[in-house]
Amino acid sequence: MDTNQIKAKFEEANQHLAAAKSELNRPAEDVVPFMVCRSTRYSISNYLEGFLLQNSVEFEEGTTVEDLLKKCRAIDGTFN
């Protein structure tokens, strides 16, 4: 388990989440929904990947959020 890689995944997830929040804090007429959705999706992917790395589960780069979630559910039922 590479703790630097795990830490990097969680830091990247936090950055994407902050970007989504920042976009939502703009005036309503200036919010770009695509940017919010994309940043949120990247954040979720990175959080799930970080969790899988913590649990020594391998995954391929570009794995879908759905597949990452299935792997997380197999480890911890609270993902249900």
Side-chain angles (χ1 to χ4, degrees), residues 26-55:
R26 298 172 61 172
E29 63 272 6
D30 294 337
V31 172
V32 180
F34 172 78
M35 298 297 289
V36 175
C37 292
R38 185 185 68 166
S39 294
T40 302
R41 183 176 59 83
Y42 288 159
S43 178
I44 292 168
S45 292
N46 281 291
Y47 281 127
L48 295 175
E49 289 173 359
F51 176 79
L52 292 172
L53 289 171
Q54 279 183 325
N55 289 277

Side-chain angles (χ1 to χ4, degrees), residues 4-71:
N4 288 332
Q5 187 179 15
I6 295 167
K7 184 178 177 181
K9 285 291 181 186
F10 288 127
E11 286 176 359
E12 191 173 343
N14 289 334
Q15 289 172 359
H16 286 295
L17 184 58
K21 286 180 180 181
S22 175
E23 184 67 26
L24 286 173
N25 285 329
R26 298 172 61 172
E29 63 272 6
D30 294 337
V31 172
V32 180
F34 172 78
M35 298 297 289
V36 175
C37 292
R38 185 185 68 166
S39 294
T40 302
R41 183 176 59 83
Y42 288 159
S43 178
I44 292 168
S45 292
N46 281 291
Y47 281 127
L48 295 175
E49 289 173 359
F51 176 79
L52 292 172
L53 289 171
Q54 279 183 325
N55 289 277
S56 302
V57 176
E58 294 184 15
F59 56 89
E60 294 182 21
E61 196 65 35
T63 302
T64 66
V65 172
E66 182 179 8
D67 289 338
L68 292 171
L69 182 57
K70 285 178 186 176
K71 289 178 182 279

